[in-house]
Amino acid sequence: MLDESLLDTPDALAGADRFGLLRGVAESGARVRTAARGAAESGIPDLTPDGRPRAVLVAGPGPAAAGVADLLRALGGGNCPVTLIPPTGVAPLPGALRWTLPGWAGPLDLLLLPGPDAADPGLAELVEQAYRRGCAVVAVTPEGGPLADAVGQARGLAVPLATTPYDAEFDVEGAPPAAPGTLWSVLIPLLSLADRIGLLSAPPEALGKLADRLDQLAERCGPAIPTYTNPGKTLAAELADALPLIWTEGSVAGAVGRHFATELAGLAGRPALVAELPEALATHRTLLAGALAAGADPDDFFRDRVEQPPAMHARVVLLREEEPGPLSATHAAHALAEERDTAVSELEPAAGSDLEKAAELLAIVDFAAVYLALAGTE
């Protein structure tokens, strides 16, 4: 259940925010600027690559690596294959995880390590594998840590991880797996690198516009802005008692949708299902006719509104990058939702580059996940 009165009480939100979640999302623009400055000071703009790599490999612990791989793949527009190397191990703990390069990896490939945890020995072993195979290696990791040392010994490039003082609040028992905003800390230097090697376009001026867009969104979605004009709070309220069916259209929206599902689970402890249009219409059709359908609980009329929580129903969250055209599946999505009496929440970013559109969608869903985490009650 969601305490919706808490959403419009900034002092109460601040009191519930013991890990600094709202501050973490609001400082995303500052993280982008700090990370871009760190990338420049590390020498990325001075690199003289011979051309694009044959493939880009991404590896690292936690959700950041998957988010980086997803966004690089989406923003790159197919210019170069981007592959996530999933870890293996008995537990998601430093020292227990291992990564293995695919058998075809070699001197033509680039290994990227978004490594917020600098002490994971599994990543150092992966760097050794890459060195033996001749892969170029770039890591974003805390300065002076074991991973940075391993990358230096392998003649790779280690970019210092951009951090904020509140990051330390997540290194305690009970904290979420990652601080909101961490994705930007590891992504921005890798975007600068991707721009340099011709994988995508992310020059310094584009990163500056990205930071400005995130600052504007922090103002629109901040705790002092009431729910009815706040897209982050509005989405949180709409998902209060719902199972989100996140339907996406476009590669950037798809990456954001998967990130949103990860944030809902990691920050708010809420499940969500993600699918891309038009396949989502077939994949989730039965869900909208089953026990999660809006009209699936005929006894709800007799429910005690005080003592009994409402039944959970599905709600479609439709993420898209631009206005639907004649070949868009958005129209069919609305038709199916209307046919099954299912509510729809829509997010569509304002005009801008693909990077700016991704930033707007990411900011809104991050704020929504945080508000669900803070206003959620047992």
Side-chain angles (χ1 to χ4, degrees):
M1 295 179 63
L2 190 79
D3 182 359
E4 294 191 33
S5 64
L6 191 67
L7 289 179
D8 286 326
T9 312
D11 289 343
L13 281 172
D17 193 7
R18 60 194 184 100
F19 295 117
L21 297 174
L22 282 171
R23 187 166 72 249
V25 185
E27 291 180 352
S28 293
R31 275 187 185 265
V32 168
R33 296 185 182 92
T34 302
R37 186 165 57 249
E41 293 172 352
S42 298
I44 287 180
D46 301 324
L47 294 177
T48 54
D50 295 331
R52 293 175 188 161
R54 177 181 60 177
V56 173
L57 303 166
V58 182
V68 165
D70 233 354
L71 286 166
L72 287 179
R73 190 181 302 117
L75 295 169
N79 288 331
C80 178
V82 179
T83 301
L84 176 68
I85 303 176
T88 59
V90 297
L93 300 171
L97 295 177
R98 293 294 183 271
W99 289 264
T100 303
L101 288 174
W104 49 262
L108 299 178
D109 305 312
L110 171 63
L111 175 63
L112 303 180
L113 303 175
D117 186 349
D120 198 312
L123 288 178
E125 291 181 8
L126 180 62
V127 171
E128 292 180 12
Q129 293 178 45
Y131 180 68
R132 291 194 299 268
R133 301 272 196 94
C135 297
V137 180
V138 177
V140 182
T141 184
E143 191 172 12
L147 179 56
D149 292 342
V151 171
Q153 292 173 9
R155 300 179 183 177
L157 175 64
V159 182
L161 178 72
T163 60
T164 64
Y166 93 100
D167 285 351
E169 298 177 24
F170 282 76
D171 192 20
V172 296
E173 185 176 353
T182 299
L183 178 62
W184 293 116
S185 295
V186 294
L187 178 64
I188 292 302
L190 300 180
L191 285 176
S192 297
L193 175 67
D195 175 77
R196 194 64 185 162
I197 64 178
L199 178 62
L200 49 79
S201 178
E205 56 271 21
L207 297 182
K209 290 181 180 179
L210 169 64
D212 292 341
R213 177 77 73 102
L214 288 171
D215 286 344
Q216 295 165 6
L217 288 160
E219 294 179 3
R220 287 177 55 200
C221 298
I225 306 302
T227 298
Y228 64 89
T229 59
N230 185 321
K233 288 183 179 180
T234 297
L235 182 56
E238 290 172 346
L239 297 180
D241 302 307
L243 171 68
L245 302 183
I246 304 172
W247 293 357
T248 67
E249 187 166 61
S251 57
V252 170
V256 174
R258 290 182 285 275
H259 169 83
F260 187 27
T262 299
E263 292 290 84
L264 285 173
L267 295 180
R270 290 171 176 261
L273 299 176
V274 189
E276 297 184 7
L277 292 173
E279 289 85 355
L281 304 180
T283 304
H284 291 168
R285 179 178 293 272
T286 305
L287 280 172
L288 298 183
L292 293 171
D297 186 8
D299 296 327
D300 187 65
F301 178 81
F302 301 101
R303 175 177 58 84
D304 186 323
R305 263 46 182 181
V306 177
E307 299 295 333
Q308 293 178 280
M312 177 176 284
H313 298 306
R315 185 182 185 100
V316 171
V317 180
L318 183 56
L319 303 181
R320 58 173 181 259
E321 302 160 19
E322 55 194 11
E323 292 185 10
L327 299 179
S328 171
T330 298
H331 309 292
H334 277 288
L336 176 61
E338 184 176 356
E339 175 189 332
R340 300 296 167 86
D341 195 25
T342 300
V344 178
S345 300
E346 292 187 67
L347 290 182
E348 179 187 315
S353 66
D354 285 347
L355 186 54
E356 291 177 88
K357 291 178 181 179
E360 180 165 338
L361 292 174
L362 285 168
I364 293 174
V365 300
D366 279 351
F367 268 106
V370 167
Y371 285 126
L372 279 169
L374 298 182
T377 58
E378 298 294 334

